[in-house]
Amino acid sequence: MTQVTTTPAAGAAGTAGDGVMVRAEQVHKSFGPVEVLKGIDLEVRSGEVCCLLGPSGSGKSTFLRCINHLEKINAGRIRVDGDLIGYRERGGKLHEMREKEIAAQRRAIGMVFQRFNLFPHMTALQNVAEAPVLTGRERKGAARDRAAALLQRVGLGDKLGNYPGQLSGGQQQRVAIARALAMQPKLMLFDEPTSALDPELVGEVLDVMKDLARDGMTMIVVTHEIGFAREVGDSLVFMDDGVVVESGPPREVIANPRHDRTKAFLAKVL
């Protein structure tokens, strides 16, 4: 099994019940000789919305994918709700779990991608109900009932029988959000969920995310939507070149960035 070196921060054991949903400690990730993440430390508390900003290539999406072990880290550790993700620790080394165990962890972590990745041959209702049935979480009838309720929640109660090709991009992304929620996750990850949408469709997806935030869903959102980060975010993290450059309350970071790199980036996007 894969071994990963680990250098935990002093005193940062990270246990369930301390109010921290996500704790990343000195996370490193390389693709061949290219080091993409260079020691990321980050905490996201339960019920918090954390927005990740930064230029393309800064490591935001890679870090997001490391949280649910879609990418394997090379050093450090990531915990979700106190549980070490993807690995077990023995003798100071992290040994990768079996795929079945990793899949069980992923069920508690919903993820919404830039592209919708819906099954084109399935209706909106079938797309949302499929995973709970396949994983044995729910019987087919119960899964379909809850899928219908989730689609209603994201404003698509009248589109249950529509196929992805019959839906707009914004509608497809809302189906993708409902699909992620169908597994009843404790954490939601959003990887630039509006970047593939026409500008007039962005608002309908952001409205659904705002509703989730109001309901207390813990969310980490990679986004360039500064208005969303300012209005909805509890914390804002600016990344560049694989490191956290600056973090803090969104309104404070956006209005008064301390680091020159943050200032230069915001000057281009505001």
Side-chain angles (χ1 to χ4, degrees), residues 194-215:
T194 61
S195 65
L197 301 179
D198 292 333
E200 65 268 21
L201 302 177
V202 168
E204 63 191 53
V205 173
L206 293 181
D207 284 344
V208 171
M209 295 170 64
K210 291 174 186 177
D211 182 60
L212 289 177
R214 283 191 291 268
D215 283 352

Side-chain angles (χ1 to χ4, degrees), residues 53-61 192 224 238-241 261 265:
L53 263 63
S56 297
S58 59
K60 309 181 302 298
S61 294
E192 298 192 41
H224 291 297
F238 176 72
M239 291 178 60
D240 188 32
D241 196 27
R261 185 65 188 92
F265 175 81

